[in-house]
Amino acid sequence: MRITVGNFLFRTRNVLFPLLYLLLFIGQQQISQAAVAMLIAGAAIALLGQGIRVLTVGLDYIVRGGRQRKVYANSLVQTGLFAHCRNPLYLGNLLMIIGFGVAANNSWYLTIAMPLFFLGYACIIAAEEHYLLGRFGDDYQYYCAQTPRLLPRLRGLGKTLRTFAFNWRRVVVKEYTTLCMTLLMLVLLTARALHADARGWIIAVGLIVLILLACGAVRILKKSGRLHAGLPRQ
């Protein structure tokens, strides 16, 4: 059952998951009166999650984004952050989900959307593991035995960071949409938490425009071929 649900969510996650983010801005019931402290703590957690995603993509690339909206992997990547955690990208996503919820200080999101996110990712991970076991067999079983599913093993992390060349170009090409989404979300949550006045919203809108322009510029450069990650064709 989890595998079936996971495959469905994998196909539809880009449509369904953004709908859950709407709960960040619906409802006024707060869980804490310390809105600024919640904003700062939440932003720190979200940026930690984004940082993990950046490190994952920058250190070693994994083609597990699916093919024809189905779970797919052309190789079993076990290096970079994947040597310390089997799902570092999903770990980053979950930290961002938690961070946005804390920053929003919104009881609806924390009690409804976050549990649904966690359940959804649990199903997607189960579907991916089922696929990877079928494709890579004993190699994947050995990898699972040596590497935690989600909470990273910190032993040897320093060596990984020292020995792997960091590919900033790949980060920009592969991660720019998530980076833009994170920045946009934090700008909106900051304006909401601080009860921005007209001037505050003008500043917020200006930042949003700059972020969207930067995202659009990267997309244009990527589509034109002038900016690429230098990866082999899959």
Side-chain angles (χ1 to χ4, degrees), residues 5-234:
V5 173
N7 283 321
F8 169 76
L9 291 175
F10 187 89
R11 292 193 304 270
T12 60
R13 68 193 187 283
N14 291 335
V15 175
L16 294 180
F17 283 9
L19 294 177
L20 293 177
Y21 281 123
L22 293 178
L23 287 178
L24 286 168
F25 306 99
I26 296 175
Q28 298 296 322
Q29 187 173 353
Q30 298 182 340
I31 62 171
S32 172
Q33 297 301 313
V36 175
M38 293 287 285
L39 174 65
I40 294 171
I45 296 170
L47 290 173
L48 173 62
Q50 180 63 80
I52 290 173
R53 285 188 58 92
V54 167
L55 274 177
T56 301
V57 176
L59 291 177
D60 201 2
Y61 184 64
I62 182 168
V63 183
R64 245 187 235 176
R67 176 172 288 183
Q68 297 178 344
R69 297 195 302 170
K70 295 181 181 180
V71 175
Y72 171 80
N74 69 326
S75 62
L76 183 60
V77 179
Q78 303 177 60
T79 53
L81 285 196
F82 291 96
H84 303 273
C85 170
R86 302 203 306 266
N87 297 282
L89 291 173
Y90 290 158
L91 171 62
N93 289 351
L94 290 171
L95 286 172
M96 289 162 63
I97 287 165
I98 294 169
F100 293 149
V102 173
N105 196 19
N106 185 319
S107 62
W108 284 25
Y109 178 87
L110 292 169
T111 58
I112 299 174
M114 274 181 44
L116 290 175
F117 271 124
F118 295 159
L119 180 60
Y121 274 110
C123 291
I124 290 174
I125 289 172
E128 289 192 348
E129 289 181 343
H130 176 75
Y131 169 85
L132 293 169
L133 180 60
R135 182 172 177 85
F136 300 110
D138 292 343
D139 289 341
Y140 184 66
Q141 284 188 318
Y142 179 79
Y143 175 53
C144 290
Q146 299 298 315
T147 312
R149 174 181 284 120
L150 205 58
L151 294 179
R153 182 182 65 245
L154 299 181
R155 187 177 70 253
L157 180 59
K159 181 180 178 181
T160 298
L161 296 177
R162 289 194 306 270
T163 56
F164 267 76
F166 191 84
N167 190 331
W168 280 104
R169 184 183 293 269
R170 184 167 61 210
V171 169
V172 173
V173 171
K174 298 296 181 181
E175 191 67 7
Y176 75 96
T177 54
T178 304
L179 283 165
C180 288
M181 185 276 290
T182 300
L183 294 175
L184 288 172
M185 197 71 75
L186 290 178
V187 169
L188 290 171
L189 290 175
T190 298
R192 185 176 186 270
L194 298 181
H195 304 289
D197 54 15
R199 182 182 177 184
W201 277 109
I202 290 173
I203 295 173
V205 170
L207 291 173
I208 289 170
V209 170
L210 288 175
I211 293 167
L212 291 176
L213 287 174
C215 185
V218 173
R219 180 175 177 80
I220 291 171
L221 291 171
K222 177 182 176 181
K223 293 296 183 182
S224 68
R226 285 178 287 177
L227 180 63
H228 56 84
L231 295 168
R233 294 179 64 87
Q234 303 297 333

